[in-house]
């Protein structure tokens, strides 16, 4: 029996086509390099805004690179607002902000696992809030494993169609072509970058998952009111309830007209946040791991609860989670000191200090960073300079800053102006 005649040229063509499909974006990614992995070609493109929002963890991972910062910030977009330059201006030039827009607790923990190998870490600042402790929050999104893969494996980065897609968007922006045009002009074989999911194996498109801040603060459509998962006053066994602490949480009734965007967020977004919220012990265990490691490695761990406008705080109580919100602070304080800005005060009532109902502005960010540097820093000259330039915020850093204090024998709360510090009894910070 005769074998069919072989066609080496055809085989070569098929091989070349397969190679072109597999390595197609390589040269493009190497030259455009939207995440500045190599920095060999200066195309005059400002990459930070578009590339970071397309994949926050990847952008931060490649910035972290070979650095060994002593202070690392973890968290979501509100922790991200505490930008590197504010820490550097305040004297902590050893700080690196590793927070992401839309970050989940899973991503915070995974980033902690990535950075804890750094032997120079002496301070961890973790921005955190109750809303994140629901396993369904952002569908358990975790973009960090992919970011690590693309950071550590050059081949994966340069052959990534997702990276090429981000680069193509940069090119279109430079050519002033409408952003939607890329969807028509870009090859159909491109797949999107993927984020690991808690339970499902479905592949999720990052551009679908992410708005500029992963929809934290975006305006959600009107939804049907549903029954609460728990009723008012139920604390899910997290803590001790209000008790003597109740005077710290008076009812908030401002009865004022908010700007349209703020009002829609307080109405619709808060309803989406809280109407079916369920606290997860699985996610809590991840914070506990960070606390245990920090104590074992002599790393100062500080939790920060960032401010939201007072009306947004009141919605938590309206949906039956007021005691849970308080107990959350008590329980956090038993892991590490908690610097809390999210209670009804002059800052959270002043909407000129916010860009939306969730996000404070740059001036407030600088003040918050200044207070955190005074709480965690040991540079006396920096302390004196920061104290003389303080704004309206005053954490109880110095003895004359404290306006109120309360303890239940397990947790101590000290209050300044627009700032409370919750800490385990006997483990309070050293008030100067």
């Amino acid at each position: 029996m005769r074998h069919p005649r072989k066609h080496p040229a055809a085989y070569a063509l098929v091989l070349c086509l397969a190679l072109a499909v597999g390595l197609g974006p390589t040269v493009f990614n190497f030259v455009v390099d939207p995440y500045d992995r190599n920095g060999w070609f200066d195309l005059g493109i400002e990459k930070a805004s578009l590339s970071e929002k397309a994949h926050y963890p990847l952008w931060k991972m490649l910035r972290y690179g070979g650095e060994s910062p002593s202070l690392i910030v973890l968290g979501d977009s509100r922790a991200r607002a505490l930008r590197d330059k504010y820490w550097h201006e305040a004297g902590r030039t050893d700080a690196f902000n590793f927070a992401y827009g839309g970050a989940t607790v899973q991503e915070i923990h995974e980033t902690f696992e990535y950075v804890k190998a750094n032997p120079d870490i002496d301070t961890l600042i973790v921005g955190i809030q109750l809303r994140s402790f629901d396993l369904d929050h952002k569908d358990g999104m975790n973009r960090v494993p992919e970011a690590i893969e693309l950071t550590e494996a050059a081949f994966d980065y340069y052959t990534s169609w997702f990276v090429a897609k981000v680069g193509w968007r940069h090119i279109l922006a430079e050519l002033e072509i409408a952003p939607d045009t890329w969807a028509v002009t870009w090859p159909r074989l491109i797949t999107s970058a993927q984020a690991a999911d808690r339970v499902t194996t479905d592949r999720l498109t990052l551009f679908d998952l992410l708005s500029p801040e992963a929809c934290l603060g975006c305006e959600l459509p009107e939804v049907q009111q549903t029954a609460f998962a728990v009723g008012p006053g139920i604390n899910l066994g997290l803590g001790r309830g209000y008790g003597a602490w109740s005077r710290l949480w008076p009812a908030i009734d401002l009865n004022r007209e908010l700007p349209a965007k703020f009002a829609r967020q307080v109405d619709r977004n808060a309803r989406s946040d809280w109407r079916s919220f369920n606290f997860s012990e699985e996610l809590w265990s991840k914070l506990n791991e960070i606390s245990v490691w920090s104590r074992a490695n002599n790393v100062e761990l500080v939790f920060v609860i960032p401010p939201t406008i007072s009306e947004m705080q009141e919605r938590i109580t309206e949906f039956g989670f007021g005691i849970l919100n308080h107990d959350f602070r008590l329980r956090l304080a038993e892991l590490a000191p908690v610097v809390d800005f999210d209670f009804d005060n002059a800052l959270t009532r002043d909407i000129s200090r916010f860009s939306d109902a969730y996000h404070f502005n740059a001036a407030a960010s600088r003040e918050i960073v200044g207070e955190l540097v005074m709480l965690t820093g040991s540079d006396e000259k920096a302390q004196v300079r920061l104290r003389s330039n303080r704004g309206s915020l005053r954490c109880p850093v110095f003895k004359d800053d404290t306006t109120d204090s309360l303890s239940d024998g397990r947790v101590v709360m000290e209050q300044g102006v627009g700032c409370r510090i919750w800490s385990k009894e006997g483990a309070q910070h050293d008030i100067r």
Side-chain angles (χ1 to χ4, degrees):
M1 179 177 179
R2 296 180 61 188
H3 293 285
R5 185 178 178 183
K6 296 183 178 180
H7 301 280
Y11 295 157
L13 177 60
V14 170
L15 181 61
C16 288
L17 287 173
L19 190 63
V21 170
L23 300 179
T26 304
V27 174
F28 180 81
N29 287 347
F30 194 83
V31 175
V32 178
D33 194 14
Y35 287 89
D36 283 336
R37 183 186 176 90
N38 59 57
W40 287 4
F41 296 90
D42 183 3
L43 304 181
I45 297 175
E46 194 287 310
K47 301 174 183 176
S49 179
L50 194 157
S51 290
E52 183 177 6
K53 289 176 182 177
H55 203 313
Y56 287 99
L58 178 56
W59 181 262
K60 290 292 181 80
M61 292 279 176
L62 287 168
R63 305 281 82 67
Y64 184 69
E67 296 185 28
S68 295
S70 300
L71 184 152
I72 292 179
V73 180
L74 304 175
D76 67 6
S77 59
R78 287 165 283 190
R80 175 177 168 267
L82 309 178
R83 298 183 181 276
D84 293 335
K85 65 179 180 179
Y86 302 157
W87 295 94
H88 300 168
E89 290 167 359
R92 288 303 300 256
T93 57
D94 57 344
F96 184 87
N97 188 305
F98 228 135
Y100 316 129
T104 61
V105 173
Q106 294 94 322
E107 291 178 323
I108 291 171
H109 179 262
E110 194 103 19
T111 306
F112 156 74
E113 291 287 344
Y114 181 76
V115 302
K116 72 180 186 180
N118 172 8
D120 295 326
I121 296 177
D122 60 35
T123 308
L124 272 178
I125 306 290
V126 180
I128 204 73
Q129 55 280 317
L130 178 62
R131 177 64 187 95
S132 300
F133 284 85
D134 188 323
L135 281 170
D136 290 331
H137 182 53
K138 301 189 187 301
D139 294 321
M141 178 177 67
N142 188 355
R143 299 159 287 180
V144 176
E146 180 182 56
I148 294 174
E149 177 185 348
L150 293 175
T151 297
E152 295 184 346
F155 180 83
D156 291 345
Y157 175 86
Y158 290 119
T159 59
S160 167
W161 285 105
F162 166 75
V163 173
K165 181 165 66 175
V166 177
W168 185 241
R169 292 184 67 185
H170 279 298
I171 297 299
L172 292 176
E174 288 296 306
L175 296 175
E176 298 183 349
I177 297 175
D180 291 340
T181 305
W182 73 271
V184 177
T185 58
W186 193 246
R188 293 296 182 182
L189 58 93
I190 294 176
T191 58
S192 299
Q194 309 303 323
D197 189 273
R198 173 175 55 88
V199 290
T200 180
T201 58
D202 294 341
R203 296 173 72 80
L204 302 175
T205 303
L206 275 174
F207 285 113
D208 292 335
L209 282 170
L210 299 177
S211 65
E213 297 298 347
C215 208
L216 177 63
C218 64
E219 297 171 11
L220 299 179
E222 188 66 64
V223 293
Q224 183 70 32
Q225 180 71 44
T226 59
F228 300 148
V230 297
I234 293 180
N235 64 21
L236 307 187
L238 278 175
R240 283 83 71 184
Y242 280 134
W245 302 101
S246 60
R247 68 177 174 83
L248 299 179
W249 305 105
I252 302 171
D253 185 15
L254 292 179
N255 192 28
R256 62 180 176 178
E257 185 175 348
L258 292 171
K261 179 180 181 180
F262 287 65
R264 283 191 293 268
Q265 290 172 340
V266 169
D267 178 22
R268 300 178 188 180
N269 291 57
R271 191 174 304 160
S272 176
D273 284 347
W274 301 110
R275 72 181 187 274
S276 58
F277 176 83
N278 285 292
F279 186 89
S280 166
E281 289 291 339
E282 177 184 332
L283 295 180
W284 183 265
S285 69
K286 296 182 183 299
L287 277 199
N288 188 61
E289 285 181 36
I290 296 174
S291 175
V292 169
W293 179 87
S294 296
R295 286 195 300 270
N297 289 275
N298 198 30
V299 170
E300 182 176 16
L301 173 63
V302 177
F303 294 115
V304 176
I305 303 178
T308 58
I309 67 168
S310 295
E311 287 89 345
M312 191 62 80
Q313 301 164 30
E314 183 62 13
R315 293 289 277 163
I316 300 174
T317 301
E318 289 174 0
F319 275 82
F321 295 107
I323 289 179
L324 175 59
N325 193 39
H326 168 68
D327 286 343
F328 176 65
R329 287 154 167 79
L330 297 183
R331 199 172 180 192
L332 269 180
E334 294 184 344
L335 298 183
V338 181
V339 183
D340 178 14
F341 300 97
D342 199 35
F343 61 97
D344 187 30
N345 61 71
L347 169 64
T348 63
R349 287 182 172 229
D350 185 357
I351 60 174
S352 70
R353 307 268 271 159
F354 290 80
S355 57
D356 63 36
Y358 293 93
H359 294 94
F360 46 93
N361 63 19
S365 293
R366 279 189 165 92
E367 288 190 42
I368 291 171
V369 169
E371 295 300 306
L372 293 173
V373 169
M374 283 189 285
L375 283 164
T376 60
S378 58
D379 185 329
E380 292 301 324
K381 289 184 178 179
Q383 296 281 338
V384 171
R385 177 174 55 82
L386 289 168
R387 189 177 188 186
S388 65
N389 291 315
R390 285 171 114 178
S392 57
L393 284 180
R394 296 233 194 283
C395 290
V397 180
F398 305 97
K399 287 184 172 62
D400 56 0
D401 294 329
T402 304
T403 62
D404 193 8
S405 62
L406 193 61
S407 172
D408 65 358
R410 292 169 63 180
V411 171
V412 177
M413 188 285 306
E414 296 162 303
Q415 181 168 314
V417 179
C419 176
R420 291 171 175 167
I421 297 179
W422 306 77
S423 51
K424 193 173 180 179
E425 184 76 54
Q428 297 97 294
H429 68 285
D430 180 23
I431 297 181
R432 296 165 176 82

